[in-house]
Amino acid sequence: MQTKLRVITGLHIGGSDDTMQIGGIDSAVVKREIFTNDDGSINYDGKGKKITEPYIPGSSLKGKVRSLLEHSFGLILAQKELELKTKNEQNKKDKFEAGKVIDSSFISFVNKHNLQNKDKFIKKANLIITLFGESAGSGDTNNIKITRAIFRDTFLTTASRKLYLDNKIKLSEEKAENTINRVTVMANPRFMERVPSGIEFDFEYVLRDFGDENKQLLEDTMILGLLLLQNDALGGGGSRGNGKIEFENFKDKDLKTEIKSLMDTIEASL
């Protein structure tokens, strides 16, 4: 699927700074250097104007969508229940630690313990693993699943880049945040770099089809993840106003209704 991702409130996905200057930005956004033509298109021959522009790593999108789906499926609560059930086990291998990504070890522990809705948790966990994969060494070698979802790095649209070249918009802004000591009432200011509201990116994900899975179920789950993301926040500082985004395909959707409808459809398909 391809669509535009629009920044509604300032977006911060952290990069790294080679140098830190007094009074400068404490936390910069991730950027890349490119050559661009006058119309905003990229010049891959190293000609044109060299600019530094922000982008959204595919790993950031994939990680947030996966996390939101794991929460919405109740898998994180199930992890906490498993942790409580196994906390008194003497053997470390028999203990479960909540907070990790859902993988085959979670399914193994669910199978060993009498969790309510056990079968549903296993099916949902398998759906997550099928879509997003799992780290090396944590998988079930007897039932290897190839990751289906590919999230591309998300770059500026040609139109947004052209507006920047014409000096009509900026590609970054500073936001000052203060930590206040409750006793001394002293402020500790911190400056964060953000991608400003209104900037648009070309978003794309690919869903591999190997003909051995319920394709519609995978598609529905991916769309649910994107709707959950639009209803939540991307990047850092989401609880402080950062990171509200909008997908062009979903801009007129009633998110609450659409999310509930897709959740019901997925539940019925499992």
Side-chain angles (χ1 to χ4, degrees):
M1 185 184 85
Q2 294 179 324
T3 186
K4 286 186 174 61
L5 185 158
R6 182 176 298 111
V7 177
I8 305 300
T9 63
L11 173 67
H12 176 81
I13 295 179
S16 61
D17 294 312
D18 294 331
T19 59
M20 177 63 192
Q21 299 179 353
I22 296 175
I25 293 290
D26 295 301
S27 182
V29 298
V30 62
K31 304 182 186 75
R32 67 169 185 165
E33 289 186 344
I34 63 162
F35 289 91
T36 178
N37 300 311
D38 292 339
D39 63 356
S41 60
I42 296 176
N43 188 307
Y44 293 100
D45 296 324
K47 301 176 182 178
K49 183 177 181 180
K50 185 179 181 180
I51 67 171
T52 302
E53 64 177 25
Y55 72 96
I56 304 173
S59 57
S60 297
L61 290 159
K62 180 181 179 181
K64 187 57 185 278
V65 169
R66 178 174 188 156
S67 174
L68 290 170
L69 285 170
E70 289 175 351
H71 275 282
S72 68
F73 284 168
L75 298 175
I76 307 305
L77 288 177
Q79 280 189 327
K80 292 179 181 178
E81 186 177 346
L82 284 173
E83 186 174 62
L84 288 174
K85 282 180 175 291
T86 63
K87 70 176 182 179
N88 295 322
E89 296 292 339
Q90 297 299 316
N91 189 338
K92 187 177 180 181
K93 290 184 178 181
D94 293 331
K95 291 184 178 181
F96 185 85
E97 182 181 348
K100 297 179 180 179
V101 296
I102 297 298
D103 59 17
S104 297
S105 65
F106 169 79
I107 296 175
S108 296
F109 272 92
V110 170
N111 273 319
K112 290 179 183 178
H113 296 84
N114 188 27
L115 290 189
Q116 191 174 8
N117 298 318
K118 170 182 173 179
D119 291 340
K120 282 288 187 181
F121 284 138
I122 291 175
K123 289 178 180 179
K124 289 176 179 178
N126 272 317
L127 178 56
I128 291 292
I129 295 169
T130 298
L131 271 172
F132 300 103
E134 54 189 344
S135 59
S138 64
D140 178 0
T141 56
N142 295 318
N143 187 25
I144 297 174
K145 290 185 172 65
I146 302 173
T147 304
R148 299 302 195 272
I150 299 174
F151 285 78
R152 307 293 192 197
D153 284 349
T154 301
F155 301 119
L156 286 180
T157 63
T158 299
S160 285
R161 193 177 295 115
K162 179 67 165 61
L163 289 172
Y164 168 72
L165 292 173
D166 293 342
N167 294 316
K168 293 182 178 179
I169 62 170
K170 294 182 178 181
L171 297 182
S172 66
E173 64 183 11
E174 291 183 18
K175 182 188 179 187
E177 295 185 346
N178 283 326
T179 301
I180 307 296
N181 185 297
R182 267 56 171 177
V183 177
T184 64
V185 200
M186 292 289 291
N188 180 26
R190 181 172 180 268
F191 293 91
M192 174 187 291
E193 185 179 29
R194 305 194 307 178
V195 179
S197 171
I199 300 293
E200 291 185 339
F201 295 85
D202 285 319
F203 171 79
E204 178 185 9
Y205 80 80
V206 175
L207 196 57
R208 291 164 164 169
D209 180 12
F210 296 118
D212 57 348
E213 299 286 349
N214 184 336
K215 183 177 179 181
Q216 189 59 53
L217 176 60
L218 298 179
E219 288 279 7
D220 288 343
T221 306
M222 284 297 299
I223 296 299
L224 173 62
L226 298 182
L227 289 170
L228 289 168
L229 176 57
Q230 183 166 313
N231 198 44
D232 197 87
L234 179 64
S239 65
R240 303 189 300 277
N242 299 337
K244 181 175 175 58
I245 59 98
E246 176 184 79
F247 294 103
E248 187 175 55
N249 286 14
F250 309 144
K251 65 179 180 180
D252 297 321
K253 299 283 188 181
D254 181 336
L255 292 180
K256 184 177 180 180
T257 301
E258 292 289 332
I259 289 171
K260 184 180 184 307
S261 176
L262 273 176
M263 283 293 293
D264 290 344
T265 299
I266 291 168
E267 286 279 355
S269 299
L270 292 173

